[in-house]
Amino acid sequence: RVEKLPALPTIPGLVRRRDLWRKRVGELGLPPNPLDDLIDRLGGIDKVSEMTGRSGRVIRCSNNREYSYVSRGPKTTPSYGLSSFNSDDLERSNLVEKAKFMKGEKSVAII
């Protein structure tokens, strides 16, 4: 299992290159994911119930210029940057979102 492997040593030159590429990509001004953009335009995650197969989403940060990836529900195991959802977690998240929409707590549902 990946969790049991020893940590790899960092290579400073590669870390600098990675950071440079991240900076360059961040400066491109790419549009957000269409589904995340739609949720943002409809009022954000506080107003929109998302009942999709996605384990995470990108939300706009409070400064309105940056975006951040967030999980749609509880993490069950360490993810190492990858999705850690199992199908039960995703189903629970969708049921919670459905209930909020049905109660009128959220005014829009994306299925």
Side-chain angles (χ1 to χ4, degrees), residues 57-74:
R57 59 181 150 219
V58 177
I59 61 169
R60 186 189 307 263
C61 296
S62 59
N63 65 12
N64 285 330
R65 288 179 293 182
E66 296 176 7
Y67 293 87
S68 176
Y69 178 84
V70 296
S71 173
R72 284 192 54 227

Side-chain angles (χ1 to χ4, degrees), residues 21-30:
W21 278 109
R22 283 183 175 173
K23 181 180 177 203
R24 286 181 180 172
V25 168
E27 292 170 349
L28 288 175
L30 297 172

Side-chain angles (χ1 to χ4, degrees), residues 43-96:
I45 60 174
D46 294 331
K47 305 250 192 253
V48 178
S49 287
E50 179 186 345
M51 294 172 270
T52 64
R54 302 190 312 162
S55 60
R57 59 181 150 219
V58 177
I59 61 169
R60 186 189 307 263
C61 296
S62 59
N63 65 12
N64 285 330
R65 288 179 293 182
E66 296 176 7
Y67 293 87
S68 176
Y69 178 84
V70 296
S71 173
R72 284 192 54 227
K75 285 192 170 193
T76 56
T77 58
S79 66
Y80 305 103
L82 304 172
S83 173
S84 64
F85 262 40
N86 64 41
S87 61
D88 291 338
D89 290 336
L90 189 55
E91 184 65 26
R92 277 191 287 278
S93 292
N94 287 342
L95 289 174
V96 167

